[in-house]
Amino acid sequence: MIELLDRLFIWLFLLFISIFLVLISILLPISIHEREELRVAMFGYPIPFAQQDLMITYGDYAVDYPHKFTISFSMLENVSSFYFYKISFFFSVLIVYIGLLIIRYLHNRFLI
């Protein structure tokens, strides 16, 4: 019984770690190749799950493309449109979770 609870705890812990890693991935910069791509900037890894209209925030900046942009959290200015795709988020968490399970399996199999 204790072994079953240990496994359940590890599986839930890896699930929370995978959700955390996927949510943190929103903060990573993305590369925009054309000015028009600012309207549909997609954030998140491994599958993009957050879309934001960066044209409101960065539309007036004159930069050379391709250029790296991050998600905009402007609290005092005009808030950019932000859309969250739940299915893409679910699949991103699933991919990271399976990857963590594989790493755990390989660690237990070959290193211990």
Side-chain angles (χ1 to χ4, degrees):
M1 182 69 178
I2 294 175
E3 184 178 319
L4 180 63
L5 288 175
D6 286 343
R7 284 186 180 187
L8 181 64
F9 174 75
I10 290 173
W11 291 339
L12 289 176
F13 179 73
L14 290 178
L15 179 64
F16 287 125
I17 292 293
S18 62
I19 290 171
F20 176 75
L21 290 174
V22 170
L23 285 175
I24 286 281
S25 72
I26 278 182
L27 302 175
L28 295 174
I30 61 167
S31 183
I32 301 288
H33 299 284
E34 298 177 357
R35 186 172 187 273
E36 290 78 26
E37 289 181 29
L38 287 174
R39 293 207 186 278
V40 289
M42 296 295 290
F43 296 93
Y45 291 101
I47 300 172
F49 57 88
Q51 178 184 350
Q52 187 176 32
D53 184 4
L54 294 177
M55 189 65 80
I56 298 169
T57 307
Y58 298 113
D60 297 334
Y61 293 139
V63 296
D64 294 328
Y65 291 98
H67 189 74
K68 298 251 183 213
F69 289 95
T70 59
I71 199 161
S72 174
F73 292 111
S74 55
M75 300 296 176
L76 299 176
E77 301 174 9
N78 294 335
V79 177
S80 300
S81 301
F82 184 76
Y83 300 104
F84 187 80
Y85 297 102
K86 294 175 188 169
I87 294 175
S88 298
F89 177 75
F90 171 76
F91 283 120
S92 292
V93 170
L94 186 65
I95 290 169
V96 172
Y97 182 68
I98 290 171
L100 290 176
L101 286 177
I102 290 171
I103 290 170
R104 181 181 176 275
Y105 171 76
L106 292 175
H107 179 266
N108 289 343
R109 175 89 172 153
F110 296 113
L111 295 178
I112 293 181

